[in-house]
Amino acid sequence: MKALVVEDDFISRLLLQKLLAPFGEVHIAVNGLEAINAFENAAKAGSPYDLICLDIMMPEMDGQEALRKIRSIEENNGIFSSKGAKIVMTSALSDIPNVSKAYQNLCDGYLVKPIEKTKLFELVNKLGIS
Amino acid sequence: MVVDGYNKEQIFNYADVMERLDNDAELVEVLIDAYLNELPGYFKKLKSAAESEDYTALAIVAHTIKGSSANVGVVLMQQISASIELACNNNETFKIKDLISEFARRYDVVLSFFHNFNGENKGERV
């Protein structure tokens, strides 16, 4: 599995990186803009990400906007919903508008911080990317 | 252990973070060490945003500290960061000065706690 962790906070990046390392290669980005660049570069190199963990509240470009753009890029390349990257939002925001918006923008899962190892692993297994 | 009126559970919920991370004590130790390295930088950013009255930036920094503190179980900082974020989002800027002072007080408590925690309760973290 190839994963991209997008978090502006070092501790959250470190935690997700450590938890996902046993599954394969883990890359990091610190905001939505970097995530888009990493996503496009990986796709161009023919080695797209299987999993993207995306924080919402970040500077430069937030996670909701990054999610929308990634799905838009996939759609423009003829890649639709279930065939695209599995995108899991990882956020301390648990309010219904944010969760609903993320699912409307076609995320595959939503984990509320603090991150629980069991829930993360269950989701990774459920999404069939372990 | 009691620091400045706070007991251990009010500062750091070790049992909760261990449960969330499947009793991986080594990982918890790595995260706590990283958190203590990051904390001065967080505080600096928080003060800077408050001093320049940039409440959008202050809300983002407070939100980051809240999430980071929650991930490592440092509830004392999680709570005060949440209060700062809420005050910014509710435009209750008159509360900010006192909340930043409270953050500073808790910052000292946390540093003191972990300084002693390393020595007195080392077995719990290893």
Side-chain angles (χ1 to χ4, degrees):
Chain A
M1 181 187 79
K2 184 177 176 181
L4 176 66
V5 169
V6 189
E7 290 276 356
D8 63 324
D9 170 47
F10 176 70
I11 304 302
S12 299
R13 281 201 303 275
L14 180 64
L15 173 57
L16 284 165
Q17 203 173 11
K18 293 269 184 196
L19 292 177
L20 292 171
F23 294 101
E25 196 178 344
V26 184
H27 295 180
I28 57 168
V30 300
N31 59 49
L33 278 178
E34 276 196 18
I36 303 291
N37 285 336
F39 171 79
E40 288 186 313
N41 289 337
K44 277 179 196 163
S47 177
Y49 289 106
D50 303 298
L51 172 68
I52 300 175
C53 291
L54 198 50
D55 185 19
I56 291 181
M57 208 160 158
M58 294 183 290
E60 306 290 334
M61 182 193 288
D62 70 32
Q64 297 280 15
E65 182 66 6
L67 170 63
R68 202 184 58 73
K69 284 191 186 296
I70 288 170
R71 290 308 189 211
S72 173
I73 292 166
E74 286 181 337
E75 197 177 323
N76 290 339
N77 288 295
I79 300 166
F80 294 97
S81 149
S82 63
K83 299 285 183 190
K86 301 298 181 195
I87 302 182
V88 173
M89 310 310 283
T90 53
S91 176
L93 300 170
S94 59
D95 57 290
I96 291 170
N98 260 301
V99 178
S100 299
K101 188 177 176 185
Y103 279 103
Q104 279 165 13
N105 285 330
L106 303 176
C107 78
D108 296 285
Y110 198 111
L111 290 175
V112 176
K113 290 175 186 169
I115 297 294
E116 291 180 44
K117 184 179 178 179
T118 309
K119 284 187 180 171
L120 175 67
F121 282 23
E122 279 173 3
L123 190 52
V124 166
N125 283 325
K126 187 180 154 194
L127 294 173
I129 46 175
S130 59
Chain B
M1 184 194 293
V2 175
V3 181
D4 202 14
Y6 294 104
N7 66 36
K8 185 183 154 193
E9 284 70 29
Q10 289 173 309
I11 300 169
F12 175 50
N13 196 334
Y14 184 74
D16 177 64
V17 73
M18 280 291 279
E19 188 182 341
R20 279 192 288 101
L21 299 180
D22 204 17
N23 294 307
D24 189 340
E26 196 179 325
L27 177 56
V28 173
E29 181 142 2
V30 167
L31 290 171
I32 287 293
D33 287 344
Y35 178 80
L36 293 174
N37 281 333
E38 291 293 301
L39 201 52
Y42 289 148
F43 189 23
K44 197 175 168 185
K45 284 182 187 171
L46 198 77
K47 279 192 291 190
S48 171
E51 279 163 14
S52 57
E53 299 183 353
D54 183 346
Y55 299 115
T56 305
L58 184 60
I60 291 176
V61 177
H63 178 83
T64 300
I65 303 171
K66 179 182 78 175
S68 189
S69 303
N71 274 331
V72 296
V74 182
V75 285
L76 198 68
M77 302 314 282
Q78 180 188 343
Q79 290 160 350
I80 188 66
S81 307
S83 298
I84 294 170
E85 184 188 9
L86 190 65
C88 291
N89 291 341
N90 290 344
N91 290 319
E92 296 171 327
T93 52
F94 61 94
K95 290 184 177 176
I96 298 297
K97 193 178 171 189
D98 286 346
L99 287 169
I100 298 292
S101 296
E102 179 60 19
F103 186 100
R105 198 172 73 82
R106 291 184 181 206
Y107 173 86
D108 289 338
V109 169
V110 166
L111 292 187
S112 173
F113 172 80
F114 280 104
H115 178 73
N116 295 323
F117 190 66
N118 280 327
E120 288 176 25
N121 299 317
K122 198 166 185 177
E124 200 170 2
R125 285 182 63 199
V126 175

